[in-house]
């Protein structure tokens, strides 16, 4: 056992006048002490305060037990820790570590817990644009959307010379009769069709949409909003939009060309495009049949549709031959992209293999949001409530990303998924002991990632005071 004066003791922000300290002292595992790293990450970037500032509280202030900031933080921290359901908070409201994160160890009334239960949080999620008798907290969607972009901008000490924004739509399966529910033929289920925008690991937008629309619907408005805010802070930055063929639409490409934004989109193949690379496909097939290995040829040309495009645009084609199971068999696999980038800057093979194919990394970010942070838990009746649920999950993703970017940059978890970080660093049992002056978290000495935990806390503390 280590004593409280040990050099291994480290502290967190005080709560209600009491210092919060932690040490790997062993003891009974009764709470998730790793959550303190989430609190340290939040203090570094101010995420919960920013998010809470997007809500308007119409309740009588003298009767309020749980503030908006407390409710918002409780929901975001809960999702980050793996508690996606509101009913979980009927137990979490008594959890001492969650109370420390909420900055409130005791309720003002004897019949209340320090934190809110499921019913209070449910009223928050079901907020209305105009307050009603039972729903007196409302949110401003435009302010919430700005929090994501501002957080991305604040994460950079120096503006980069260029940046790439990845767009993608995905399915959010529905199992009830929610507002905006439609059947989507491609995904073969009833779903929503949310739009995500990422820059690397940074989440810039998560927009909930019904499924009876084109995958690119609303992308022009989203890009106009995001890019205007980026250029307000970084006027000289060069921006590239990257997406699959679902976004190769005249409206979006024309907007990019009119606003000095580069684009690189996949392009759905058709008979005219395949005919254009007939010679390259034949050459790839001939070599592939001889070697029995996948073979690629690339072609660069300008092209225009018969009636949907307003101008000619650069096309890069991949003429690929994939061998079959038996020698001498196989099939062609032609692929196309359309771009505003010049030939002098990016030759065909490099543009396709290095620049365009890198967009596949965005799929991992969406998986983190939907699988690790429960962004697909959209079971409320209204789209307004489900959009807020999506934003809560997205904020939890942003919070863990901040922990990973700032606290874990030089550890083995620098590129770990959100689920791995939660499992290895946040789900730590501890004995919480509160006294008049101190709250002590005694964590088990057998915890295998003590070095990473200390490194993360030190880095977050340094960043918060910088």
């Amino acid at each position: 056992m280590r004593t409280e004066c040990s050099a291994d003791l480290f502290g967190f922000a005080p709560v209600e006048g009491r210092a919060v300290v932690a040490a790997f002292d062993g003891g009974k595992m009764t709470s998730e002490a790793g959550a303190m790293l989430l609190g340290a990450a939040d203090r570094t970037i101010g995420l919960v305060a920013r998010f809470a500032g997007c809500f308007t509280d119409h309740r009588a202030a003298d009767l309020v037990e749980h503030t908006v900031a407390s409710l918002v933080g409780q929901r975001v921290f809960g999702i980050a820790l793996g508690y996606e359901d509101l009913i979980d908070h009927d137990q979490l409201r008594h959890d001492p570590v969650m109370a420390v994160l909420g900055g409130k160890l005791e309720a003002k009334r004897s019949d209340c817990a320090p934190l809110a239960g499921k019913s209070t949080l449910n009223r928050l999620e079901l907020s209305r644009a105009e307050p009603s008798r039972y729903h007196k907290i409302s949110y401003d969607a435009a302010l919430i959307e700005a929090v994501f972009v501002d957080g991305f901008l604040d994460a950079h000490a120096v503006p980069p010379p260029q940046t790439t924004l990845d767009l993608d739509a995905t399915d959010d399966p529905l199992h009830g009769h929610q507002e905006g529910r439609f059947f989507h033929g491609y995904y073969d289920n009833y779903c929503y069709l949310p739009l995500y925008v990422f820059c690397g690991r940074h989440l810039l937008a998560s927009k909930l949409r019904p499924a009876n629309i084109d995958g690119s619907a609303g992308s022009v408005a989203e890009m106009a909003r995001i890019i205007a805010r980026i250029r307000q802070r970084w006027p000289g930055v060069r921006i590239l939009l990257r997406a699959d063929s679902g976004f190769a639409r005249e409206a979006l490409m024309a907007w990019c060309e009119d606003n000095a934004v580069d684009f690189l989109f996949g392009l759905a193949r058709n008979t005219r495009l395949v005919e254009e690379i007939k010679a390259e496909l034949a050459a790839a097939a001939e070599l592939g049949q001889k070697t029995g290995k996948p073979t690629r040829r690339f072609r660069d040309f300008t092209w225009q549709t018969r009636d949907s495009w307003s101008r000619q645009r650069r096309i890069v084609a991949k003429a690929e031959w994939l061998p079959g199971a038996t020698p001498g068999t196989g099939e062609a696999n032609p692929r196309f992209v359309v771009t505003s980038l010049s030939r002098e800057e990016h030759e065909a093979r490099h543009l396709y293999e290095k620049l365009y194919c890198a967009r596949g990394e965005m799929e991992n970010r969406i998986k983190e949001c939907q699988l690790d942070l429960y962004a697909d838990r959209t079971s409320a009746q209204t789209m307004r409530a489900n959009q807020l649920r999506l934003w809560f999950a997205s904020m939890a993703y942003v919070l863990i990303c901040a922990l990973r970017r700032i606290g874990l940059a030089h550890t083995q978890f620098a590129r770990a998924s959100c689920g791995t970080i939660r499992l290895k660093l946040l789900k730590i049992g501890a004995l919480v002991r509160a006294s008049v002056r101190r709250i002590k978290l005694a964590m088990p000495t057998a915890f295998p990632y003590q070095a990473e935990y200390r490194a993360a806390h030190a880095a977050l503390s340094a960043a918060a005071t910088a």
Side-chain angles (χ1 to χ4, degrees):
M1 299 288 288
R2 296 185 177 119
T3 63
E4 292 188 1
C5 60
S6 168
D8 289 321
L9 201 70
F10 44 99
F12 293 88
V15 178
E16 294 184 349
R18 284 177 272 193
V20 180
V21 296
F24 291 99
D25 285 350
K28 184 180 178 182
M29 295 190 291
T30 61
S31 193
E32 292 173 336
M36 299 304 297
L37 287 182
L38 293 177
D42 177 61
R43 286 190 297 276
T44 302
I45 64 174
L47 180 66
V48 169
R50 291 187 187 189
F51 190 19
C54 303
F55 292 79
T56 302
D57 191 353
H58 299 277
R59 298 174 297 173
D62 57 330
L63 301 178
V64 170
E65 177 66 48
H66 308 295
T67 65
V68 171
S70 174
L71 295 173
V72 168
Q74 184 180 344
R75 191 71 175 112
V76 172
F77 290 133
I79 293 173
L81 288 170
Y83 299 105
E84 72 273 24
D85 295 325
L86 289 181
I87 196 171
D88 295 327
H89 289 270
D90 270 8
Q91 285 74 44
L92 291 176
R93 62 180 175 164
H94 302 288
D95 187 282
V97 170
M98 291 292 289
V100 170
L101 291 177
K104 180 184 174 187
L105 295 176
E106 298 177 356
K108 292 187 292 186
R109 302 200 305 266
S110 59
D111 59 341
C112 284
L115 299 178
K118 64 179 186 301
S119 299
T120 304
L121 291 170
N122 184 57
R123 286 192 289 272
L124 172 68
E125 287 192 350
L126 298 179
S127 63
R128 313 286 176 83
E130 295 295 330
S132 65
R133 180 179 180 181
Y134 299 106
H135 304 91
K136 295 183 179 294
I137 302 175
S138 59
Y139 66 81
D140 187 321
L143 292 179
I144 294 176
E145 290 172 340
V147 169
F148 291 103
V149 185
D150 290 343
F152 159 70
L153 295 169
D154 292 342
H156 295 77
V158 178
Q162 59 185 21
T163 190
T164 301
L165 306 184
D166 288 306
L167 298 81
D168 203 1
T170 190
D171 68 316
D172 178 1
L174 300 177
H175 306 287
H177 293 274
Q178 293 92 321
E179 179 186 9
R181 167 184 181 269
F182 290 98
F183 185 84
H184 196 289
Y186 178 81
Y187 295 110
D188 195 28
N189 59 28
Y190 287 90
C191 62
Y192 287 135
L193 195 68
L195 172 67
Y196 282 94
V197 181
F198 285 87
C199 180
R201 290 181 179 268
H202 294 277
L203 175 60
L204 276 71
S206 52
K207 188 79 168 181
L208 195 66
R209 306 175 301 172
N212 62 335
I213 59 173
D214 181 73
S216 67
S219 58
V220 172
E222 284 297 297
M223 289 301 98
R225 174 184 64 82
I226 292 171
I227 290 174
R229 203 164 186 91
I230 291 175
R231 283 181 168 168
Q232 186 178 11
R233 292 267 296 272
W234 300 344
V237 68
R238 183 182 181 185
I239 298 173
L240 170 68
L241 299 190
R242 184 170 58 188
D244 62 20
S245 59
F247 292 84
R249 303 292 187 262
E250 170 64 21
L252 184 55
M253 291 188 289
W255 181 88
C256 290
E257 291 160 342
D258 293 340
N259 290 273
V261 175
D262 290 313
F263 62 85
L264 176 57
F265 300 146
L267 185 63
R269 65 188 179 194
N270 56 45
T271 54
R272 286 183 59 207
L273 284 169
V274 173
E275 183 66 25
E276 190 75 25
I277 59 169
K278 185 177 180 179
E280 286 75 15
L281 284 171
E286 182 180 359
L287 181 58
Q289 289 171 348
K290 290 180 179 179
T291 63
K293 298 179 180 179
T295 307
R296 291 180 173 184
R297 293 287 186 272
F298 288 87
R299 169 86 186 280
D300 195 322
F301 58 95
T302 56
W303 193 72
Q304 183 174 3
T305 62
R306 287 172 176 164
D307 53 15
S308 60
W309 286 7
S310 60
R311 67 190 76 183
Q312 287 189 337
R313 296 184 171 100
R314 182 191 177 195
I315 306 295
V316 169
K318 179 189 73 170
E320 184 176 44
W321 177 263
L322 300 176
T326 58
T329 64
E331 61 178 353
N333 181 40
R335 290 289 186 270
F336 304 88
V337 297
V338 55
T339 184
S340 63
L341 299 173
S342 67
R343 294 178 177 86
E344 293 74 22
E345 191 172 12
H346 296 281
E347 58 89 19
R349 179 182 288 271
H350 177 270
L351 183 138
Y352 186 91
E353 293 184 338
K354 301 300 182 182
L355 194 57
Y356 177 72
C357 289
R359 67 163 297 278
E361 182 64 18
M362 183 192 182
E363 302 290 342
N364 293 327
R365 308 287 79 75
I366 294 178
K367 289 177 182 177
E368 284 188 276
C369 287
Q370 290 201 302
L371 302 181
D372 293 343
L373 281 313
Y374 317 107
D376 59 349
R377 301 304 199 269
T378 48
S379 58
Q381 176 61 35
T382 66
M383 285 200 70
R384 177 181 173 84
N386 285 324
Q387 174 66 84
L388 185 55
R389 285 189 173 189
L390 176 58
W391 280 330
F392 275 125
S394 299
M395 291 296 177
Y397 170 84
V398 172
L399 184 61
I400 295 184
C401 275
L403 168 59
R404 177 171 53 197
R405 184 183 72 252
I406 301 170
L408 303 173
H410 302 294
T411 71
Q412 62 173 307
F413 300 115
R415 296 185 60 81
S417 69
C418 293
T420 297
I421 291 172
R422 175 196 296 143
L423 179 65
K424 300 297 180 65
L425 289 177
L426 303 184
K427 308 293 278 189
I428 310 172
L431 175 64
V432 182
R433 292 176 287 188
S435 64
V436 175
R437 294 180 299 171
R438 176 169 294 182
I439 303 165
K440 183 178 179 183
L441 282 69
M443 292 181 278
T445 53
F447 176 55
Y449 304 108
Q450 295 182 38
E452 288 82 359
Y453 192 101
R454 291 194 183 93
H457 173 256
L460 290 167
S461 299
T465 58

